Amino acid sequence: MTRSNKTRATMHDVAREANVSIASVSRFINGQTVREEIEPRITKAISALNFKPNSAGRALRASKTQQICLSVPDISNPVYQTITKGVQNILNKTDYRLMLAPRNLSVEENLALIDSLDSNYADGFIFLSLVDDPRIRKAFMKLSIPAVVIGNVEVHEEVDTIKVASGAVELALAYLVNKYGGDVLFLNGPSSTIPGRNRKKGFLEAMQSRGIDGTKHVVEAESFNVEAGLSALGKVKNISTYRSIICANDLLAAAALRFLSTLKIDVPNKIAVIGIDNTDLASVLSPALTSIDYKSEFRGELAAKFILDRLNDPTTAYRKISIAPELVERESA
Amino acid sequence: MTRSNKTRATMHDVAREANVSIASVSRFINGQTVREEIEPRITKAISALNFKPNSAGRALRASKTQQICLSVPDISNPVYQTITKGVQNILNKTDYRLMLAPRNLSVEENLALIDSLDSNYADGFIFLSLVDDPRIRKAFMKLSIPAVVIGNVEVHEEVDTIKVASGAVELALAYLVNKYGGDVLFLNGPSSTIPGRNRKKGFLEAMQSRGIDGTKHVVEAESFNVEAGLSALGKVKNISTYRSIICANDLLAAAALRFLSTLKIDVPNKIAVIGIDNTDLASVLSPALTSIDYKSEFRGELAAKFILDRLNDPTTAYRKISIAPELVERESA
DNA sequence: TAACTTACTGTAAACGTTTACAGTAGGAAG
DNA sequence: CTTCCTACTGTAAACGTTTACAGTAAGTTA
């Protein structure tokens, strides 16, 4: 023990203790071959001094932080929790750490977040945003680290993207119309958001193709959560004229189930309910929620893999993946 | 623009551009007063060069990473999501970033996590663990950064801790016995975990004090999730002899609701159900879940505040907080 | 033997900040 | 006028790594 008591050992200390140069210690730690004779000396010194390489020194010199930043617009939403889980699944197998970015619901929050990434605290960025804006696209374009986009936010082309193929609502509608006929209500989230906009479009087109004007079949909640869903449904005039409800995410579907349950309307026999996202929530609700699977955990895993691939080899061709949504049948429809 | 194209501007560049010393730039950025005349020169240079301070350089020199590490045993559990949200609420108001540690369910994962913190990638640590072990306590004691513990994991005394006062199960039991009598089933999670152990103890004692031997009223799920809950309930011989069920967390309560719903047993009129944690899930389920509020978002906020306080002033006295659980009445009981 | 190759080693210079220290200008006090 | 103080400034030395480079010893080839 050459070290004083309370301060941590550095590579210099290890080198001195093992009687080798600091370069050899560094090389050994980074998996390069060193003379067979000195290997045990280094390992011994490391454990004797309880040496752990300092992240900051490493990051500064190598300009690699070993951190991946994940932006989560709203951590209360189970779909983002599921994506986060997927990202973790992959990162935990590597020596990359996961940074959870601050909430980025608004355009301003998004801009601040993207801006902050210039401070080099992360090597890669997994970007999720509910909102779209030319300023976001512009800021994103100037990003100094590689990024992966999950979702339909519009950005430039030099980026890996993971989308869910359109047609999720069509999938739900086809199922419901076939089973229960055309009296379908669409409970949307705010159409000012990207998913709100897209899912509404999907619904209207799907109705259109069946010769129905869907516009009167849409009710919009102020937010993608239960409270907003309940309040939106409360404003629907005669809910019992509908035979089924498509909800723009699982939380809104949970709201629908609660709403119908308080009205003693049987699900699915009087009104069927179908959600979108197929988060953990779906199998927790009763009746268990039939939902369109957006494969969120998988998307998270894929995003993490993409970013790691690119960090390993920056010349990797940019990938634009589109996941096929899938209907998962449970009890509610 | 004195900089070449693709590499980021450093403080040196700003200093040169503004014709001041690098020390002045640093001081200005860190909010110290500088000569009035040079202030605009610096701001101008910063924006002209689009300068952003480099986190690694900063971290290395100041030995402060501006990062807080939060350990989340299992991100699928809504109670941890809620705690995470609380932590974020506070950190987002500061310039600290949130690191999400890898899953730490097992003892080994906990040890690896605590060990890794010696690499100085975080200034503070918010520790949550489902499991208890002398090795964890020992490793935790040697931690080189301040920590806050949420929960009942046993560690040394020089640490802020946030617990929920015991008596949660008693609270639930008192309510149920009073309303529905003593035929209460306790659906516990694994008693090998800290909450499993404590909640079981709480239940047995609460029953004891009413002169009932509770041991036959306990069924144990293999994990704190819906699937395990369903499977555990499936093994209960004659469920309909019970008038109410206390579930050791909200996920197990969701399992109970689903289980009873498939058996067409009315909740709460035939069997009442009560959960513990009062996560977002409680108000999403139908019937809405009566649950014991563990104030998780608040605990997360408190933990973040504690750690920030200590980073500001390391001499702060260690705080041992105990939150009073509270019954939140909804529909299921 | 010399010349070349192989496989490793150590020295020292970075990376981009913060900060101790010494210095200076200007005003106040005596 | 000198002395002292205040309020700021710039120089230069860290912080703990990684890595370019030059060096060396041993083995191979001719």
Side-chain angles (χ1 to χ4, degrees):
Chain A
M1 291 280 182
T2 56
R3 295 284 309 170
S4 81
N5 233 347
K6 211 48 188 171
T7 155
R8 294 205 57 80
T10 74
M11 221 171 238
H12 277 103
D13 301 316
V14 174
R16 198 181 320 127
E17 179 90 2
N19 204 25
V20 294
S21 78
I22 181 176
S24 289
V25 177
S26 174
R27 283 189 282 251
F28 173 72
I29 286 180
N30 291 299
Q32 299 181 40
T33 51
V34 294
R35 191 152 36 103
E36 207 173 326
E37 178 207 350
I38 68 179
E39 221 166 282
R41 298 218 306 265
I42 298 182
T43 35
K44 202 172 139 198
I46 287 178
S47 71
L49 300 174
N50 189 27
F51 168 75
K52 301 279 162 46
N54 177 296
S55 302
R58 203 168 232 190
L60 178 58
R61 175 57 224 232
S63 19
K64 289 182 64 183
T65 60
Q66 299 291 56
Q67 300 190 154
I68 303 292
C69 178
L70 168 68
S71 79
V72 169
D74 171 16
I75 203 178
S76 306
N77 189 326
V79 73
Y80 296 123
Q81 294 160 1
T82 311
I83 289 175
T84 304
K85 193 179 174 192
V87 172
Q88 259 208 348
N89 290 346
I90 301 301
L91 291 190
N92 288 356
K93 291 189 224 152
T94 72
D95 52 356
Y96 280 89
R97 295 183 292 267
L98 176 59
M99 293 245 358
L100 212 56
R103 187 175 60 126
N104 59 324
L105 274 173
S106 69
V107 173
E108 282 68 28
E109 286 166 344
N110 271 287
L111 292 174
L113 167 60
I114 295 174
D115 208 46
S116 79
L117 286 166
D118 280 341
S119 281
N120 279 332
Y121 59 79
D123 298 336
F125 181 36
I126 299 176
F127 185 43
L128 281 146
S129 171
L130 279 170
V131 293
D132 221 349
D133 192 284
R135 284 172 295 164
I136 293 180
R137 189 172 62 224
K138 204 170 152 193
F140 193 83
M141 199 161 50
K142 293 193 187 140
L143 210 53
S144 50
I145 56 171
V148 171
V149 169
I150 302 182
N152 292 288
V153 59
E154 262 191 50
V155 294
H156 60 292
E157 288 300 305
E158 283 79 36
V159 75
D160 299 288
T161 61
I162 298 165
K163 301 187 182 194
V164 175
S166 63
V169 182
E170 162 63 32
L171 208 58
L173 190 68
Y175 178 88
L176 292 177
V177 167
N178 173 52
K179 208 159 172 182
Y180 309 108
D183 298 324
V184 182
L185 176 67
F186 181 54
L187 173 57
N188 197 15
S191 59
S192 58
T193 63
I194 301 173
R197 190 206 308 147
N198 288 344
R199 290 170 196 185
K200 181 176 184 177
K201 183 157 166 273
F203 178 74
L204 292 180
E205 287 175 0
M207 290 293 267
Q208 185 76 50
S209 78
R210 286 167 179 78
I212 314 174
D213 174 16
T215 47
K216 282 169 198 146
H217 294 241
V218 177
V219 54
E220 185 170 320
E222 274 178 15
S223 176
F224 278 104
N225 61 35
V226 177
E227 201 182 325
L230 286 172
S231 135
L233 286 173
K235 285 173 197 146
V236 176
K237 280 145 293 180
N238 34 7
I239 193 101
S240 48
T241 61
Y242 291 102
R243 184 59 190 85
S244 63
I245 309 181
I246 299 178
C247 305
N249 78 350
D250 284 353
L251 283 173
L252 292 174
L257 291 184
R258 290 212 6 82
F259 186 79
L260 297 173
S261 141
T262 40
L263 290 183
K264 311 267 182 215
I265 297 177
D266 183 82
V267 177
N269 296 320
K270 284 291 177 190
I271 298 187
V273 172
I274 203 163
I276 292 181
D277 278 346
N278 193 37
T279 55
D280 286 350
L281 197 53
S283 49
V284 164
L285 297 170
S286 31
L289 186 69
T290 295
S291 187
I292 308 290
D293 193 354
Y294 263 49
K295 318 209 170 156
S296 301
E297 188 165 347
F298 178 66
R299 285 188 291 149
E301 292 178 351
L302 213 53
K305 276 182 196 154
F306 281 6
I307 204 81
L308 292 178
D309 284 352
R310 183 156 310 283
L311 290 172
N312 276 335
D313 176 10
T315 67
T316 312
Y318 291 102
R319 285 175 277 193
K320 314 279 177 187
I321 292 280
S322 193
I323 310 272
E326 220 170 278
L327 190 141
V328 175
E329 206 172 348
R330 294 200 184 78
E331 301 161 3
S332 71
Chain B
M1 292 278 183
T2 56
R3 294 286 308 171
S4 81
N5 233 347
K6 210 49 190 172
T7 156
R8 295 206 57 79
T10 72
M11 220 170 238
H12 277 105
D13 302 314
V14 174
R16 198 182 321 129
E17 179 90 3
N19 205 25
V20 294
S21 79
I22 182 175
S24 290
V25 177
S26 173
R27 283 189 281 251
F28 172 71
I29 285 180
N30 291 300
Q32 300 180 39
T33 51
V34 293
R35 191 151 37 100
E36 208 172 327
E37 178 207 349
I38 69 179
E39 222 166 281
R41 298 217 308 266
I42 298 181
T43 35
K44 202 173 141 198
I46 286 178
S47 70
L49 299 174
N50 188 28
F51 168 75
K52 301 278 161 50
N54 177 296
S55 302
R58 204 167 231 192
L60 178 58
R61 174 58 224 230
S63 21
K64 289 182 65 183
T65 61
Q66 299 291 56
Q67 300 190 152
I68 303 291
C69 178
L70 169 67
S71 79
V72 169
D74 171 16
I75 203 179
S76 306
N77 189 325
V79 73
Y80 296 123
Q81 294 159 0
T82 312
I83 289 175
T84 304
K85 193 179 173 193
V87 172
Q88 259 208 347
N89 290 347
I90 301 300
L91 291 191
N92 288 358
K93 291 188 223 152
T94 72
D95 52 357
Y96 280 89
R97 296 183 292 268
L98 176 60
M99 295 246 357
L100 212 55
R103 188 176 59 127
N104 60 324
L105 273 174
S106 69
V107 173
E108 283 68 28
E109 285 166 344
N110 271 287
L111 293 173
L113 167 60
I114 295 174
D115 209 46
S116 78
L117 286 165
D118 280 341
S119 281
N120 279 333
Y121 59 79
D123 298 337
F125 180 37
I126 300 176
F127 184 44
L128 281 146
S129 171
L130 278 171
V131 293
D132 220 351
D133 193 283
R135 284 172 295 165
I136 294 181
R137 189 172 60 223
K138 204 170 152 193
F140 193 83
M141 199 161 51
K142 293 196 188 135
L143 211 53
S144 51
I145 56 172
V148 172
V149 169
I150 301 182
N152 292 287
V153 59
E154 262 190 49
V155 293
H156 60 292
E157 288 299 306
E158 283 78 38
V159 74
D160 299 286
T161 62
I162 298 167
K163 302 188 180 194
V164 175
S166 63
V169 183
E170 163 63 33
L171 207 60
L173 190 68
Y175 177 88
L176 291 178
V177 168
N178 174 53
K179 209 159 170 183
Y180 308 108
D183 298 323
V184 182
L185 177 67
F186 180 54
L187 174 57
N188 197 14
S191 57
S192 59
T193 64
I194 302 173
R197 189 205 310 147
N198 288 344
R199 289 170 198 187
K200 181 177 184 179
K201 184 159 166 272
F203 177 73
L204 293 180
E205 286 175 0
M207 290 293 266
Q208 186 76 50
S209 77
R210 284 167 181 78
I212 313 174
D213 173 17
T215 47
K216 284 168 196 147
H217 295 239
V218 178
V219 54
E220 186 171 318
E222 275 178 14
S223 175
F224 279 104
N225 61 36
V226 176
E227 202 182 324
L230 288 172
S231 137
L233 286 172
K235 287 175 196 147
V236 176
K237 281 146 293 182
N238 34 7
I239 193 101
S240 47
T241 61
Y242 291 102
R243 184 60 191 85
S244 63
I245 308 180
I246 299 178
C247 305
N249 79 348
D250 284 354
L251 282 173
L252 292 174
L257 292 183
R258 291 218 354 86
F259 187 78
L260 297 172
S261 141
T262 39
L263 290 183
K264 310 269 183 215
I265 297 178
D266 183 81
V267 176
N269 295 321
K270 284 291 177 189
I271 298 187
V273 172
I274 201 162
I276 292 181
D277 278 345
N278 193 38
T279 56
D280 286 351
L281 196 54
S283 50
V284 164
L285 297 169
S286 31
L289 187 68
T290 295
S291 187
I292 307 292
D293 193 353
Y294 263 49
K295 318 212 168 150
S296 301
E297 188 164 349
F298 177 66
R299 285 187 293 150
E301 291 178 349
L302 213 53
K305 277 183 195 152
F306 281 6
I307 204 81
L308 293 178
D309 284 352
R310 183 158 309 285
L311 290 172
N312 277 336
D313 176 10
T315 68
T316 313
Y318 290 102
R319 284 175 277 193
K320 313 280 176 189
I321 292 280
S322 192
I323 310 272
E326 220 171 277
L327 191 142
V328 175
E329 207 171 347
R330 294 200 184 78
E331 300 160 5
S332 71

